[in-house]
Amino acid sequence: MEHRTDQGVGAAIILGTIGVLSFIVQPGLVQGFVTQYGLSEASANEMAFMEMLGIAVGTVLAALIGPRLSWRTQTVAALLVAALGYVLSGMAAGGDLLPLARMVAGFGSGFIISISFSVVGSSSQPERNMGLYLVLLLTYGALGLWAMPSILDSFGLGTVFYSWAIASLAASAVAWYLPDVTGRAGDVAHDASGDGFGRASTTTIVFVLAGVLVYNVSIGVAWANLFLIGIDAGIAEQPIANGLLICQFTAVGGALGAVWWSERISRFWPIVVGTVGGAAALALTLGTPGYGAFLVTLIAFNTLWNFALPFILGLAASLTPSGRLMSTAIASQMIGLAFGPLAASELLGGADSFEPVKILSIAAMILSLALFAWPLLVRREAVPVQA
């Protein structure tokens, strides 16, 4: 049983990385829409929104379906849909088909992400396994963002999309290692109320889900535009790409920190530090930052994001028995990540700078802490977190 559980979690971690192939390198992708396809900054953000909208719809449907239909079957079908979306994205080459193609790719990815997070979140050590998942995807993201400018110059954005389609198809083999369950959480399920709490009140659940949504609006606004914010500050493309490489590796440290601290500290301080620190990091970009300040923003923002995220999602998983709220929390997360770029697009369409975008991201980050405050205080553990 334990061996099958480990296989299922391992497969979920790999598939979760496949599910975010394009999102985790979104700053480079948005820049590619501008330089390769000739889109405006606002239109490039709209493409990011279409993908994230597809992901959000996919995660919501996956949450509604749950384990009623085999996770293996859902994931294989979703991988095929994602691959189709990537192929269509390459064929569109910036034309009218591109928004639909990005939505199709996102829809398939949404199912993959939701199922992967559900398996990881319902494991016996959700924060630890979430941290390991983040380590893998961040390593990919670091190398991808660093190489993106060179790859785009040498091969073009279409080649990137076709490569992602091939990776999605190849991942179908991994999907068969997921728990093949229906009607229950499956072999990886656990009693998330084991931290000493039963099901939380409806008010607490609403506050946490709202906090997840708003937190990820902040992340979505910033993450989609960090490359463009650097360009707007007069920084060259390759130094920005180098900075994104560095911040992805430091983010691995943040995720590993979450793995280490998950059994030694309550969720209270990691979430407080992650949100307050994230807002402070984004504040460094106000005005026209130099490369040093911009690099500090990249490192602090991405590291704290990936340190706090396992604790935020672990809080959601702890609110109901067996972590069943995790899939709903993931849907809230993806909706927030979708509407972040949309909000940024609307602001950029009527502004001559990125200042409104920066201010929105900072304000949403602080608001998310206000929403998490009540659930954290009423459910603050008296002992270190034990998944």
Side-chain angles (χ1 to χ4, degrees):
M1 176 73 73
E2 183 177 352
H3 176 64
R4 284 189 298 164
T5 299
D6 291 342
Q7 280 190 337
V9 172
I13 289 173
I14 294 171
L15 288 164
T17 304
I18 294 296
V20 296
L21 278 175
S22 58
F23 168 70
I24 204 61
V25 295
Q26 194 175 78
L29 180 59
V30 169
Q31 177 66 6
F33 286 140
V34 174
T35 58
Q36 294 281 308
Y37 286 170
L39 302 182
S40 66
E41 286 85 354
S43 296
N45 270 273
E46 288 174 5
M47 294 306 102
F49 165 70
M50 294 303 293
E51 177 187 359
M52 295 309 303
L53 178 61
I55 289 178
V57 172
T59 55
V60 169
L61 288 180
L64 292 175
I65 296 173
R68 296 179 182 87
L69 178 64
S70 164
W71 275 336
R72 297 177 182 177
T73 302
Q74 290 184 62
T75 303
V76 171
L79 288 165
L80 294 174
V81 172
L84 173 62
Y86 287 133
V87 170
L88 292 176
S89 297
M91 294 172 59
D96 294 339
L97 179 63
L98 186 59
L100 176 61
R102 300 312 301 137
M103 180 179 286
V104 171
F107 180 74
S109 298
F111 268 86
I112 301 165
I113 293 168
S114 179
I115 292 169
S116 298
F117 269 97
S118 294
V119 174
V120 172
S122 61
S123 64
S124 60
Q125 296 176 298
E127 282 98 352
R128 172 185 175 275
N129 292 329
M130 194 75 65
L132 293 174
Y133 160 55
L134 291 174
V135 167
L136 177 60
L137 71 88
L138 288 168
T139 301
Y140 153 73
L143 297 175
L145 282 170
W146 173 71
M148 183 72 84
S150 299
I151 292 174
L152 292 179
D153 288 342
S154 301
F155 303 101
L157 188 52
T159 300
V160 174
F161 284 131
Y162 295 138
S163 298
W164 287 340
I166 293 171
S168 299
L169 293 174
S172 298
V174 180
W176 298 109
Y177 289 95
L178 290 172
D180 191 21
V181 294
T182 54
R184 57 190 179 88
D187 294 337
V188 296
H190 79 290
D191 185 1
S193 63
D195 59 7
F197 297 101
R199 178 183 173 88
S201 67
T202 300
T203 301
T204 299
I205 291 174
V206 169
F207 268 74
V208 169
L209 292 179
V212 171
L213 175 68
V214 175
Y215 178 78
N216 284 282
V217 167
S218 173
I219 296 295
V221 169
W223 186 241
N225 288 282
L226 281 174
F227 210 119
L228 295 175
I229 288 172
I231 295 293
D232 185 62
I235 304 170
E237 288 187 14
Q238 194 56 56
I240 296 174
N242 294 341
L244 287 167
L245 169 68
I246 294 170
C247 82
Q248 289 291 79
F249 280 123
T250 61
V252 171
L256 288 174
V259 172
W260 193 82
W261 283 106
S262 64
E263 297 181 357
R264 294 171 173 83
I265 193 172
S266 73
R267 300 180 182 106
F268 182 86
W269 287 113
I271 293 176
V272 171
V273 171
T275 51
V276 173
L282 291 169
L284 293 176
T285 65
L286 293 172
T288 306
Y291 184 66
F294 182 72
L295 181 60
V296 170
T297 293
L298 293 179
I299 292 172
F301 172 78
N302 209 15
T303 302
L304 290 172
W305 170 19
N306 289 282
F307 173 68
L309 183 60
F311 292 98
I312 291 172
L313 294 179
L315 173 63
S318 74
L319 298 182
T320 55
S322 300
R324 287 191 294 269
L325 194 66
M326 175 63 82
S327 59
T328 307
I330 297 305
S332 298
Q333 178 188 21
M334 295 305 161
I335 291 171
L337 291 173
F339 281 91
L342 177 63
S345 174
E346 292 297 321
L347 291 175
L348 289 170
D352 56 1
S353 75
F354 281 85
E355 295 306 294
V357 170
K358 301 171 190 176
I359 293 171
L360 172 61
S361 185
I362 294 168
M365 185 72 71
I366 296 300
L367 177 58
S368 72
L369 176 59
L371 292 167
F372 287 132
W374 169 254
L376 285 170
L377 290 173
V378 298
R379 294 179 64 84
R380 187 173 180 181
E381 296 90 344
V383 295
V385 176
Q386 298 295 331

